[in-house]
Structure formats: C-alpha cells, structure tokens
Amino acid sequence: MIWASRLAGFLLFRVLKTGSDTRFDDIRSHFFKFAGFWAGQILWVWVVSLPVVILNSPAVSDPARGGGNPSFGTAADILGVILFAIGLFWEAVGDVQKYLFKSSHPPKGQPCTKGLWRFSRHPPYFGEITLHWGLWALCLSPALHSPLSTNAKRAQYASVAAPIFTMLLLLFLSGIPTAEKPTSKKYFLLSHKSSTNRDSNNNSSPPQSSSFTREEDGSAIWTNYKSYLHKTSILFPIPPSLYKPLPGWFKRTVLLDFPMYKFDEDKDGKEAIEEERRKRAEA
C-alpha cells in the first residue's frame, strides 16, 4: 500500500501539473495498442502481488490449516525491510529530483545530474527493482522458519516471479528501452538542427542523409551527452569517477548497459534526421 500510494500519488500530481503523460502519446490514438497496454498492466499488478497473496493464503500463514506464523524479526524480514526502504527512497527521491530539475527550466541539452541522478541514469528504476526484491524477502519467513507443506513452500519460493518480472519489464520492455534511445535521439537532433532545417527550407533539394551539419551553438550537446553516458551508470548507483574507467564489456554485461540501449549515430542518427526533415516538410 505504501509503494502503490506513493507511485500513484506522484503520477497523478505530475499529470495534473503537466496536463498529460507523454509516455502514451504514440499509443493513445490506437485502440488495440492502448488495450494491450492496459492488459499488460493487469498482468503486472497480479504478478507483483503474488508474494503478499501467497503469504496470506491459509496453507502458508494459518497454523490451523498447516501453515505457520513466525514472529516478525527474522533475517528475511530485516533484509526485506532494508531493501524496501532503499528502493522506496531511491524511487521517490529520484522522481522528485527529476521533476524539480525539469521545473527549473535547465539549459537546452543538459541532462539531469542532480542528486541521485549523478550516480545513475535511471534511479527510479533501480529503486523499483530493489523495492520488489525487498517485498519478496519480507514474505518468505513462513517458508524458512515454519514446517510448511512442500507445495506451500514451493508457492512461496515461486513468488520470486514478482521481482524478476518487474526487473525484466524495466530492462527489456516498458522501462529503460523506452527511455534510452528516445533521449539519445533528442540530444542528437539538438546538435544537428541545421541539417534538418536545410531541406525543409529548400524542398527542391533532396535530403542528403549522409552529411550531418552541426548547429554551431549546439554542436557540443551531443558530445557532452555521450560523455555523460560514458561516465554515468545506466542502473546501479555508482560514482562517475569509478564507473567511467570500467571496461566496456563489464558495463555491457555485469552492469546491464546492454548494446540494445545504444543509439547508433550512423543508423539511428540518419533515420532520426530523415524523420525530422519529413516532419518539417509536412508542416
């Protein structure tokens, strides 16, 4: 309830302040895409609720039905509370810091590096993942400290699907993948405005996607952003001075900065410029 109330309250506050949630702009006008999104949300809510639902089932927590009810304070309880508190802190503080940063109208092309965002490119996602691992640990005590039936223990251990599902969702579907490349694309285009403007002002000339003309006053934006990516961990909070010298293979594997998140200047950059030119020409 604490987690859901905090998240729902912040999202409601942000929508009331900004007037919309831009994450849904591409799917709001497509019925089936939007329906699929809500169906996915239903599945997500059910999966992340499994640890608590199974904990409260009679076979797990009712001694009269073969369950167990150990006193609070086991190692799993303490670990769960610690992980939950860390996750809630990183998620809540990260959201507030990002909102305040955007509200301050920072210079164009400047990524948020305030507070927790200095150590991670996605502190709310790190917090969300950590929080759900904490919730799972917090529900495990009956399986670890009570003589439950084999099936009841299996059900409790199987509820690990909740934090794993959340982690996979944020790493491969609706989290980091929907943020990394679009953000890189934004900064890339800010540094290449003149190449997208040139052909919109001269429609008789076909676009030359192979040549990128950098806008003079924005030429450093993309370079600075690439430097920011190089020194800032994608998920786990790590000081930039420690993260920057780490080998690329270590970042791509152990630290989960997968190649799928990378914005390719040759392929993705050319497509971004052509798309921007078409939009300007149609306007």
Side-chain angles (χ1 to χ4, degrees), residues 70-267:
S71 299
F72 179 81
T74 66
D77 292 337
I78 301 304
L79 177 63
V81 170
I82 292 174
L83 290 177
F84 180 87
I86 292 174
L88 186 65
F89 172 83
W90 274 84
E91 185 176 36
V93 174
D95 279 340
V96 171
Q97 288 177 338
K98 185 64 172 287
Y99 176 80
L100 294 176
F101 173 76
K102 288 185 175 182
S103 300
S104 67
H105 304 292
K108 184 188 298 184
Q110 178 180 327
C112 179
T113 56
K114 303 294 184 181
L116 303 182
W117 294 83
R118 180 173 179 268
F119 306 103
S120 170
R121 304 204 300 264
H122 302 283
Y125 293 156
F126 169 77
E128 181 81 354
I129 291 171
T130 304
L131 181 152
H132 284 289
W133 279 107
L135 282 174
W136 178 68
L138 193 55
C139 294
L140 277 184
S141 288
L144 298 174
H145 301 282
S146 299
L148 302 184
S149 67
T150 301
N151 287 337
K153 284 189 176 183
R154 286 176 178 173
Q156 277 223 286
Y157 292 138
S159 65
V160 72
I164 290 177
F165 184 79
T166 297
M167 193 169 180
L168 294 177
L169 189 70
L170 294 177
L171 287 176
F172 299 109
L173 292 174
S174 67
I176 294 177
T178 63
E180 276 295 298
K181 275 195 175 183
T183 302
S184 294
K185 176 182 175 182
K186 179 184 72 173
Y187 287 108
F188 181 83
L189 289 175
L190 284 173
S191 282
H192 296 79
K193 274 190 175 180
S194 58
S195 64
T196 60
N197 287 337
R198 187 177 56 225
D199 290 318
S200 65
N201 295 328
N202 183 13
N203 292 329
S204 62
S205 301
Q208 301 296 321
S209 60
S210 59
S211 60
F212 298 157
T213 304
R214 292 180 179 269
E215 186 180 37
E216 185 174 321
D217 60 352
S219 60
I221 292 177
W222 178 239
T223 301
N224 292 339
Y225 187 70
K226 287 194 295 183
S227 174
Y228 161 76
L229 296 179
H230 183 61
K231 68 182 181 182
T232 310
S233 171
I234 192 167
L235 184 66
F236 301 106
I238 302 173
S241 58
L242 296 180
Y243 181 81
K244 185 176 181 180
L246 293 175
W249 67 265
F250 189 81
K251 295 178 180 178
R252 292 190 297 270
T253 54
V254 177
L255 299 183
L256 308 182
D257 196 350
F258 300 126
M260 62 180 287
Y261 303 143
K262 182 178 174 57
F263 182 88
D264 186 279
E265 292 183 62
D266 293 328
K267 180 179 181 295

